[in-house]
Amino acid sequence: METGVACFARGTISPTVASQHTTSFASPRSISPSFATRSLKSSSFMGESLRVMPRSSIKVSKTQNSSLVTKCEIGESLEDFLSKATPDKGLIRLLISMSEAIRTIAFKVRTASCGGTACVNSFGDEQLAVDMLADKLLFDALSHSHVCKYACSEEVPELQDMGGPIEGGFSVAFDPLDGSSIVDTNFTVGTIFGVWPGDKLTGVTGRDQVAAAMGIYGPRTTYVIAIKGVPGTHEFLLLDEGKWQHVKETTEIGEGKMFSPGNLRATFDNPDYDKLINYYVKEKYTLRYTGGMVPDVNQIIVKEKGVFTNVISPTTKAKLRLLFEVAPLGLLIENAGGYSSDGTQSVLDKVIVNLDDRTQVAYGSKNEIIRFEETLYGSSRLASGVPVGASA
């Protein structure tokens, strides 16, 4: 099926886009109940506000071979955008369900109590570390969507049956709170997830994803979505009244001297990585690195430039998980017009053999990925024959 989406501005964006006041998050229940689609009804699960779709009203659509040409608008709601972007009602329901969990996680992170080695908040009658709380909220959202067959979390990398259908349903892998160790320092953190069709999360590649997204909890709360076959990566801002508003579409990652170098300790015994980092410094790249993968990758999409690297060495093994982090972020970057690499290929082409597979990675513009591959491995699949930068 061919899907085309073109975005344009719809007048002036609501003034509430420019600010989020903490008073609007007095409790999860203060959020407007009109947020969800009309077919969703209010409910409560483990003390948290959810909106549950009655199973009897679920109709999972089967997409026929057809052409869908739509126009999305900057300033429109998440629901309006999704209804134009895809005819798959099940996928729409899943992405909206996850947006509700992300909205609640944002409140829980914002109001977490931090002390010692953990940040905690309430989940019903329990006090949980915020990463485990986020984990539970996301599993709950997927279960109540009724379109998810299996889900798997980085916290517990085992398949969990969510009760949804295999045919017309989805399997979801997620990192509930990437950067949970820096919540107490008030750095930006986030949720990452990828959506695969059917009931498989192994023996598949990142390119098989039908959608991927990030929830980003910083000075603003945003929901960043990429849908397979839909051009661009799309950012939605959480407004004071609890609704998501479309505020940005990214379709091109250009050149720009901004770098986020992960796992710098690998430069000690990986001379090629050391050479690459020295190139960035010599060429006066701006260092923008927080230690959180979500904000460090998201800035490439928002600023539409830059490079993120996380490289291995003989003594520093791969840390980043292909299924839960690398592949979903790969779809977000590549849909935005950027490129990804594990050194020799796009991370979207790597087969996920085990749920806990790990890899090195780079995200960025085309020339930055060429430079990354040529510097570390001597050649690049993307190069036109002319070496760039550190590899020259």
Side-chain angles (χ1 to χ4, degrees):
M1 176 181 151
E2 297 180 359
T3 304
V5 177
C7 288
F8 59 93
R10 184 181 63 184
T12 303
I13 296 177
S14 167
T16 54
V17 171
S19 67
Q20 277 189 335
H21 304 297
T22 55
T23 53
S24 67
F25 289 98
S27 75
R29 298 180 190 279
S30 68
I31 296 170
S32 169
S34 63
F35 164 76
T37 54
R38 288 190 179 92
S39 60
L40 295 175
K41 67 179 183 179
S42 295
S43 184
S44 177
F45 187 85
M46 295 293 286
E48 303 301 330
S49 178
L50 295 171
R51 284 164 185 84
V52 183
M53 169 58 67
R55 185 179 296 274
S56 60
S57 63
I58 297 288
K59 292 183 179 179
V60 178
S61 64
K62 291 184 179 179
T63 303
Q64 302 297 323
N65 290 328
S66 62
S67 178
L68 178 68
V69 180
T70 60
K71 289 184 179 180
C72 66
E73 300 179 19
I74 300 300
E76 69 185 347
S77 69
L78 174 64
E79 293 86 353
D80 287 344
F81 168 82
L82 290 174
S83 68
K84 295 175 182 178
T86 176
D88 191 326
K89 303 300 183 184
L91 182 59
I92 292 173
R93 193 173 316 284
L94 188 148
L95 292 173
I96 290 176
S97 293
M98 293 296 271
S99 80
E100 297 233 332
I102 286 168
R103 187 181 61 188
T104 303
I105 293 167
F107 169 75
K108 293 297 187 180
V109 170
R110 187 184 300 271
T111 59
S113 298
C114 297
T117 59
C119 291
V120 300
N121 211 326
S122 62
F123 185 80
D125 295 329
E126 297 181 87
Q127 286 289 318
L128 297 177
V130 285
D131 53 349
M132 296 308 298
L133 188 153
D135 196 62
K136 286 181 175 289
L137 286 169
L138 292 164
F139 273 121
D140 292 348
L142 291 170
S143 176
H144 284 83
S145 75
H146 299 307
V147 295
C148 179
K149 176 55 181 173
Y150 289 116
C152 188
S153 163
E154 185 183 52
E155 294 293 330
V156 184
E158 299 175 358
L159 290 182
Q160 307 292 319
D161 194 336
M162 297 288 100
I166 295 177
E167 185 177 352
F170 307 94
S171 291
V172 178
F174 60 86
D175 182 349
L177 198 61
D178 181 75
S180 57
S181 64
I182 56 175
V183 170
D184 58 347
T185 63
N186 214 19
F187 283 11
T188 295
V189 295
T191 295
I192 307 168
F193 70 89
V195 183
W196 280 261
D199 63 342
K200 304 295 184 186
L201 287 174
T202 56
V204 296
T205 68
R207 212 169 290 284
D208 295 323
Q209 292 173 101
V210 293
M214 293 184 286
I216 303 164
Y217 318 118
R220 306 182 305 149
T221 298
T222 55
Y223 186 35
V224 181
I225 298 174
I227 298 174
K228 184 176 183 178
V230 176
T233 294
H234 301 266
E235 179 183 72
F236 295 82
L237 177 67
L238 182 62
L239 304 181
D240 286 345
E241 62 266 33
K243 296 182 180 180
W244 297 99
Q245 187 172 55
H246 193 194
V247 294
K248 182 175 176 58
E249 177 194 33
T250 303
T251 58
E252 183 178 1
I253 305 296
E255 303 308 313
K257 293 184 175 182
M258 182 178 72
F259 75 121
S260 300
N263 198 27
L264 275 178
R265 65 174 64 88
T267 59
F268 175 76
D269 57 348
N270 184 335
D272 292 326
Y273 191 32
D274 185 57
K275 181 180 179 181
L276 182 63
I277 297 302
N278 284 331
Y279 171 83
Y280 296 147
V281 174
K282 179 182 177 182
E283 294 298 316
K284 299 181 179 179
Y285 277 49
T286 298
L287 175 64
R288 289 288 182 266
Y289 181 70
T290 69
M293 193 175 183
V294 165
D296 290 338
V297 173
N298 185 56
Q299 71 178 341
I300 297 174
I301 297 170
V302 173
K303 301 293 187 182
E304 302 181 3
K305 64 180 182 180
V307 60
F308 171 90
T309 57
N310 193 294
V311 176
I312 62 174
S313 76
T315 59
T316 57
K317 304 305 180 184
K319 177 182 177 183
L320 301 177
R321 291 167 174 84
L322 179 59
L323 177 64
F324 304 104
E325 301 164 302
V326 175
L329 293 178
L331 183 60
L332 286 162
I333 286 288
E334 294 199 13
N335 249 43
Y339 292 79
S340 69
S341 177
D342 70 346
T344 59
Q345 63 181 333
S346 165
V347 298
L348 295 183
D349 293 324
K350 290 180 71 70
V351 177
I352 301 165
V353 178
N354 302 299
L355 298 176
D356 199 43
D357 283 354
R358 306 185 186 209
T359 184
Q360 65 179 1
V361 66
Y363 302 113
S365 67
K366 182 177 182 179
N367 278 346
E368 292 295 356
I369 297 306
I370 291 173
R371 182 176 295 112
F372 172 80
E373 292 182 344
E374 288 184 343
T375 303
L376 268 66
Y377 292 95
S379 64
S380 173
R381 64 204 155 87
L382 301 173
S384 58
V386 179
V388 295
S391 63

